Amino acid sequence: MSTTAATAGAPFGTLDISTTSKVPLLRLVKVEMRKMIDTRSGLWLIIAIVAITALITVIFFFAAPDDDRVFLNYIGIMATPQGFLLPVMGILLITQEWTQRTGMVTFTLEPHRGKVIAAKVIAALVFGLLAVLVATVIASIATGVSGAPGAWADIGSDDFAKFTLLQVTGVLQGLAFGLIFLNSAAAIVTFFVLPIAFSIVASLWGALEDIAPWVDLGTSQVPLFEGTNLTGEQWWQVLTGTVIWVVLPFLAGLIRVLRAELK
Amino acid sequence: MITLENVTKRYGQFTAVNDISFVAQSGKVTGFLGPNGAGKSTSMRIMVGLTPQDGGDALIGGYRFADIPNPSRHVGVLLDASAQHDGRTGREVLRLSAETMGMGLGRVEEMLTLVGLSGPESKRRVRNYSLGMRQRLGIANALMGDPSVLILDEPVNGLDPAGIHWMRGLLRSFAAKGGTVLLSSHLLHEVEMIADEMVLIGRGKIVARGTKEELLQTRGTYVKPEDPEALQKALQAASIEAVPSGDGGFRSDSEPIEVGRAAAAAGVVLAELKAAEGAGLEEMFLQLTSDHARDSITPEGVQV
């Protein structure tokens, strides 16, 4: 076997890779976005997110007093159902590769696993932002129909920023839990049960309740829902909660996937 | 060309792949044979970087798989036909691969036609596919990027005889165009028909390799006399070992000429005398792997 592979033309038995370029990240993102909607379960999850967002708007329209039918309230009530479903989407985007074992194909097509995960993160964020857009559109329509006095008052860019931050954090947390468990059921159950377990323990153990805003993401995010301005301390609490529940699990999960054996 | 050099993979105390080295040449179909659990799939996963090895090098055309840009354009891989999303249609599975590789959608239709899954079958969900259909889909996926190397784990599994015949034609013409094919199987008759060269693996070690002809070269004689008892005595007298074959004949490790001389000396009439047919790759294969299994049970454990 020739050792001067660099000379023109590949020696017999050697691949000529000079004309092949790497798979661009954008192409992987496109593929990952497609994977979210090309199965019935994935498609229905997206439909459910849109439908529930619309449904809760209708319920609020009939249930709330006229004066409360303002834009910020509409956006506010959408945060909760979307906050439940967007993380599930993030979880499934990761775990389908393991539960359905498609990872063997995915990580053969692109052996650089970090790149595939990056594409999944971007794809999930795009869907998260689309959900925010859908929420804004539905809230605008509902507000217009309501015609309440001062319905469009006090809307600042920070309101959109907070709403977006909530949804994006939810998506990333879903991805992180997916990466850690690599199993849909375990990741989804843990995602929903852990905060409940935390609040039960906190209610029994006072010390934990005191530090809850710092260590429990659900607690630290409460001010983000309320439409008030956050204090410096509250922003720090959002940050620490996010590090504990999103950043650290994500890093641990990423390390796990980079090292895992796929079979 | 696929080159493995001293590749080893351990799981705790268990050595799944034990220092294996072999080359799958361009222009040839190499059969990778071994019983279940011999280390075939692990070796193949190591080749494409899905399983990190503990030692050694696995190179495809001179490169580590991960160092090949857009590797599917060079190396077609089918590791497990059932590793597909149940909820996707056959066409959708191929479309995802085609988009990742940067192949046009026309290529998807081309591949569906090639493997006989075009038409209504392409629109069915993989959940409703038989194993044979999944294998065809996996082959289409492997060929999608127009590669020059194919790595196929048990591709014949689940195919009907017509499917095996089709696969044989496909892989042989792929190799005839200069491509490299490595396919694994635990069923020898199937691979016997397809492969030019064979690598036999048992308990994580290579136990034999060579062309089919080399591996099938056997010594020995089949002899059928008019009077079995008389022949048995004659052979004993000539110190030729022989065992009854159950049909009134005998098998011996000696050459036919020696058996013939012994029979002639004793005046025994023979109905048949011929060189033993190749014991059959399967028999040899079973023997090789079981011998190896016995060797490896030592006080130190399974490793020799």
Side-chain angles (χ1 to χ4, degrees), chain A residues 83-84 87 91 173 177 181 186-203 208 212 215-222 241 245-246:
Chain A
F84 277 119
I91 288 172
Q173 193 180 1
F177 276 56
F181 290 99
I188 291 172
V189 168
T190 313
F191 177 79
F192 288 113
V193 167
L194 216 54
I196 299 170
F198 186 92
S199 55
I200 292 173
V201 174
S203 69
L208 196 59
V215 297
D216 177 37
L217 186 60
T219 314
S220 39
Q221 280 183 340
V222 167
W245 291 97
V246 181

Side-chain angles (χ1 to χ4, degrees), chain A residues 62-77:
Chain A
F62 288 111
D66 287 0
D67 293 353
D68 284 351
R69 293 178 189 163
V70 299
F71 182 80
L72 284 181
N73 284 348
Y74 278 118
I75 274 282
I77 55 149

Side-chain angles (χ1 to χ4, degrees), chain B residues 92-121:
Chain B
E92 180 63 22
V93 166
L94 295 187
R95 184 173 169 159
L96 289 174
S97 292
E99 282 195 15
T100 309
M101 293 174 205
M103 303 298 283
L105 293 184
R107 183 75 180 165
V108 173
E109 301 307 319
E110 212 177 298
M111 289 298 105
L112 284 169
T113 309
L114 176 74
V115 301
L117 286 177
S118 56
E121 286 175 335

Side-chain angles (χ1 to χ4, degrees), chain A residues 208-229:
Chain A
L208 196 59
E209 197 158 23
D210 294 338
I211 59 161
W214 293 98
V215 297
D216 177 37
L217 186 60
T219 314
S220 39
Q221 280 183 340
V222 167
L224 289 173
F225 284 94
E226 289 174 340
T228 55
N229 287 324

Side-chain angles (χ1 to χ4, degrees), chain A residues 197-263:
Chain A
F198 186 92
S199 55
I200 292 173
V201 174
S203 69
L204 299 173
W205 184 27
L208 196 59
E209 197 158 23
D210 294 338
I211 59 161
W214 293 98
V215 297
D216 177 37
L217 186 60
T219 314
S220 39
Q221 280 183 340
V222 167
L224 289 173
F225 284 94
E226 289 174 340
T228 55
N229 287 324
L230 275 72
T231 65
E233 187 183 56
Q234 281 173 323
W235 277 119
W236 279 110
Q237 288 168 346
V238 169
L239 183 69
T240 54
T242 307
V243 167
I244 295 171
W245 291 97
V246 181
V247 178
L248 293 180
F250 189 92
L251 291 177
L254 184 63
I255 291 169
R256 178 176 179 193
V257 168
L258 292 181
R259 292 187 181 171
E261 180 182 15
L262 278 120
K263 45 162 91 175

Side-chain angles (χ1 to χ4, degrees), chain B residues 21-22 39 42 109 118 174 186 192 254 277:
Chain B
S21 304
F22 70 86
T42 307
E109 301 307 319
S118 56
F174 185 89
H186 65 284
E192 220 171 345
S254 304
E277 283 163 12

Side-chain angles (χ1 to χ4, degrees), chain B residues 172-223:
Chain B
R172 297 218 60 90
S173 71
F174 185 89
K177 283 181 252 165
T180 309
V181 181
L182 178 67
L183 85 158
S184 76
S185 181
H186 65 284
L187 296 170
L188 287 136
H189 291 306
E190 298 165 347
V191 177
E192 220 171 345
M193 297 196 304
I194 302 175
D196 307 297
E197 306 236 348
M198 310 224 174
V199 177
L200 269 65
I201 183 170
R203 298 266 177 136
K205 283 202 148 191
I206 304 285
V207 288
R209 73 188 128 178
T211 64
K212 202 155 53 181
E213 290 71 27
E214 284 166 5
L215 291 175
L216 282 173
Q217 259 177 11
T218 48
R219 300 178 62 233
T221 303
Y222 172 78
V223 58

